[in-house]
Amino acid sequence: MSNLGAGLKTQQWDLNTMPKFEKSFYKEDPAVTSRSPAEVEAFRRDNQIAIQGKNVPRPVQTFDEAGFPGYVMNEVKAQGFAKPTPIQSQGWPMALSGRDVVGIAETGSGKTLTYTLPAIVHINAQPLLAPGDGPIVLVLAPTRELAVQIQDEASKFGKSSRIRNTCVYGGVPKGPQIRDLAKGVEVCIATPGRLIDMLESGKTNLRRVTYLVLDEADRMLDMGFEPQIRKIIGQIRPDRQTCMWSATWPKEVRQLASDYQTDFIQVNIGSMELSANHRITQIVEVVPEFDKRTKMTAHLERIMENKDSKILLFTGTKRVADDITRFLRQDGWPALCKLLSGSSLNAVANNHAAIHGDKQQTERDWVLNEFKTGKSPIMVATDVASRGIGMIENISPLSILTRSPDYPSPILPPLYDSAVVRLRSLQCLLTACTRALLAYITVRLGPSVNTGSKFGILGRLV
């Protein structure tokens, strides 16, 4: 993957000769201006909003105070939202100001809308696309599932402005994506690998990009996309507005912000480290490798006593995902047999009801939809499915089983980051049963550490 993008030409930017563009649109509402510093501080404190940087705008408390044009507000109010979330209250004035922004908040907090609505305003202030122009707004995302969900939001809220978008990601044919890019789109949502492929083949360019979003920046770096991100940013004019959104604030993300953002302002909602959802009951079992399947079967039998239950079984590797699925089918689990019965079995004969990165997008979508609709109450997956499951509704009660890999490696934190933590927004009791190797815990945490307290902090071992 490191050679990906080697064919991209190094861009030479002369800002004196480049077309100017507008990126500052925020005008503070009189209601916001009239609030005393004490009232502003109390609002931030009550909503766990922390800010960093110079001249950070005050937060808004209603949609009308954000100052969005009427065509944007009509779309927002049509969705029936009562009020902005904390990240939106503080993030909208920051993004509309044209400044480079860093936003740290947990998944499910409304980050997508925080950058999508300012992007619509930004696009409508720019000259129309000419033939051969690339997008005005570029959103980079780590996974296909997240990219598709971002596209759904962009389509929903950009409809009234007739803003065109496309989603560029691997695992599907390039033809429709190439056609969209050739017709011209104002918004491109992309995963790094497929976007670089399009750039190298000359199917699009980033010369018109003036609003850049890195969504789930920490996850992209965890997945090894940093070289590709840097190559992509090198194709974008340096005076762009860059918004970086993340669930955590590790040193790698801080370095990326330092390298590609200028005098950025930052908002943190809650802690900068992922923390446990109090609705999640966590059960940690440390067992030898040969006991894992016996324990797993016992948990499945207990959980499935309730016919309404659903089970997500996460594994650390693609191979284990397929192995576990095969084992469960051979053991006669009706849910999995039902998932792969009849004509559906012929459609996804090689899928084994497991979702991971080697599966075609159509296969992954099919399996995920079977689980969402309740046709199969059990799904085996690697963390590639984590974004898709975050949108599942009405699935209480839900249990999550995660297995550690067969070797010492820091795989458990990413699994929690992308699986359990993404389910924070579900209004149901979640049970996370984690079986890990004793050697893994001894090596990573040390023999004197209370493992229960360590696993109480989801996503990061601190």
Side-chain angles (χ1 to χ4, degrees), residues 1-4 142 192-193 196 216-231 252:
M1 185 180 286
S2 59
N3 292 328
L4 191 64
I196 287 182
E216 295 197 1
D218 54 348
R219 180 94 187 279
M220 284 197 282
L221 298 187
D222 283 343
M223 295 172 69
F225 284 131
E226 182 174 355
Q228 289 73 43
I229 293 172
R230 292 183 178 274
K231 289 174 182 176
E252 295 83 3

Side-chain angles (χ1 to χ4, degrees), residues 359-403:
K359 304 302 180 186
Q360 292 296 316
Q361 184 67 28
T362 52
E363 295 175 334
R364 289 159 57 177
D365 289 345
W366 187 89
V367 174
L368 190 57
N369 186 65
E370 292 291 290
F371 183 76
K372 286 182 176 182
T373 57
K375 294 180 180 179
S376 170
I378 301 175
M379 184 172 72
V380 183
T382 60
D383 67 342
V384 73
S386 59
R387 169 54 59 170
I389 64 176
M391 298 299 288
I392 300 173
E393 297 178 353
N394 301 322
I395 58 174
S396 177
L398 168 72
S399 296
I400 302 174
L401 307 180
T402 68
R403 289 170 52 94

Side-chain angles (χ1 to χ4, degrees), residues 181-251:
L181 293 170
K183 292 177 182 177
V185 293
E186 286 82 11
V187 181
C188 178
I189 304 107
T191 55
R194 177 56 67 91
L195 178 60
I196 287 182
D197 192 7
M198 294 291 190
L199 291 171
E200 286 188 312
S201 59
K203 303 304 181 184
T204 191
N205 63 79
L206 304 180
R207 291 189 295 270
R208 282 290 307 268
V209 173
T210 50
Y211 188 95
L212 171 65
V213 176
L214 304 181
D215 198 359
E216 295 197 1
D218 54 348
R219 180 94 187 279
M220 284 197 282
L221 298 187
D222 283 343
M223 295 172 69
F225 284 131
E226 182 174 355
Q228 289 73 43
I229 293 172
R230 292 183 178 274
K231 289 174 182 176
I232 290 170
I233 295 178
Q235 302 296 305
I236 306 174
R237 56 188 292 169
D239 58 343
R240 66 189 174 266
Q241 180 179 2
T242 304
C243 298
M244 188 178 298
W245 307 92
S246 181
T248 58
W249 188 230
K251 63 179 180 180

Side-chain angles (χ1 to χ4, degrees), residues 313-325:
L313 206 164
F314 282 93
T315 67
T317 65
K318 305 168 187 176
R319 177 184 62 80
V320 174
D322 283 332
D323 288 347
I324 291 297
T325 306

